Amino acid sequence: MTVDQAAGPRDTAPRPGHVPVVIVGAGPVGVTAALLLARRGVRTVVLERHHDVYPLPRAVATDDEVRRILQAAGVQEEFAAIARPARGLRLLDARHRVMAEFPRAAQGAHGFPQTSMFDQPELERLLRDALARAPECELRGGVEVVGVDQDGDKPDGEGPDGEGANGQGAGGEGPVRVAYRDETGEHLLWADAVLGCDGAGSLVRDAVGAVWEDLRFEERWTVVDVRTSLPVRCWEGVEQICDPRRPATFMRIGEDRYRWEFRLRDDSELGDERLRDLVAPWVNLAPGADFTVLRQARYTFRARIADRWHRGRVFLLGDAAHLTPPFIGQGLCAGLRDAHNLTWKLARVLRQGADERLLETYESERKPHARHMIRLAVAMGWAMTGGQDGAAAVRRGVLSAAVRIPGLSTAAARDLSPVLGAGPLVRRRARRRGRGLVGGLCPQPWVTVDGRRVRLDELLGDSFALLTAEPPAPSLRAVADGLGARTVPVAGLGDDGRLAAWLREGRADAVLLRPDRVVMDVVPSGAGGLTGTADWASLLHTTRSPLPSPHSVEESLSRSATR
């Protein structure tokens, strides 16, 4: 539905207001995007059809990279209080014998447990609390978005308030018009950009003109969330039961919270007696035992990706852009990666007048990454459910071979994120000379600054950063200053030499980090200068004065190193 259809003739519509960014959907992806934009001074209005947090659990797992994103959004300490580290993943046969085990480290490269379990309503509440504390953010609940249109012109006198990029969308289009309805009637907002974080049934996806590409996985499962004080036989990790007759997933979420997922054979109800049989390998249920089913819901697990992720200044994030089976716990994680990738680029365009083409790199970087993760999840689903109907020994052999599928065991046991593919901000030439550093994420060790122990990103701030193993040449300093990048020598950081070793392994004297901590460019050992400045400089060049750039921390680090 277009805005004109929803709101009637424009001369009778309510007088519209302007906001730099409208976010449709106040789930974890939408609220995290708002918080990341707020850190960069971009005001947002978040429109959500529900008045309060959806009370039932859905997503339950995250990885260390996504915990780093929550750190960037300013909610890491609160999340740590509700998160529970998990030991990893086990594949079990129908008799619950271990076929393969993929341990997860208590601290990964990003400075957090490689897998953490949590309760989604608790995550959403702490995100909403942070949103309420951010003056740049406004949440409007209980509203229905009925139209998104970026083809119309803004009425006379309704110019931007100085926070947008002259009020124009991509390709010279006018600002985006968002129509929504609440208990008082219909309203209009004009936005310099709209983020569609409104889920699988996204209205914004329709406005973008995107359609689903089917990646050929569809199964019906029932998900059972339970609270119990009974002793539960638990590995403290995720267990995948690779039984083609009744594949299942089990995990402990909290102190007394557990989740089971079972594939459905048919549409019959899963009654109490049947549930007792299904959970018997983990817990003995006597009649009247303390075993409270918090939620039992049926889902159709699908693998899909939108054929396009944006049109002009309207973008899709999270489930609006991609759907994945849950077998590697990356559904919510993928959406938060979307937010982290897009928000710094959008802020640089809106606040500093960077080239509009910078926004094109959101889809070109995130879409192949999301497709890769969906395919890994589908491969894990196949390992759980398919390939044989013979004896147990044959089944174990087939599944042992399945977990050796290239990338599958790596995904389950280590960092799930592949490096970003080649593009304007990721140069293949630099990747060869930098031994794979470009396009990957910088590790995050603990460092010492002014006698304080902090995580690296707390030192680097929210903008670009230059990590150096050698004194930077004047030309390199000039590039860093032009980007507003903080220059950080890795010597004397008190990180046990981890960053210095990382640079040596990559044969680099320095790396230039993007705000999302992806390595954008390198100074190869002995080269003195960056390798791809001509490729990305035009995208990042700004037409307005840069935001206040953090001063160099070399002096501070030198003082810390002598203490």
Side-chain angles (χ1 to χ4, degrees), residues 480-528:
D481 290 344
L483 289 171
R486 186 183 288 264
T487 299
V488 178
V490 298
L493 277 176
D495 66 338
D496 296 326
R498 285 186 58 195
L499 290 173
W502 177 67
L503 290 175
R504 283 196 305 273
E505 184 180 351
R507 296 186 179 180
D509 285 341
V511 292
L512 182 61
L513 304 181
R514 305 178 349 179
D516 56 5
R517 301 303 168 235
V518 170
V519 178
M520 185 169 75
D521 206 343
V522 299
V523 177
S525 297

Side-chain angles (χ1 to χ4, degrees), residues 56 59 81 230 253 307 312 316 364 393 408 493 542 555:
L56 298 178
L230 297 173
I253 301 171
D307 66 336
L316 304 178
S364 65
L408 184 59
L493 277 176
T542 58
E555 252 183 58

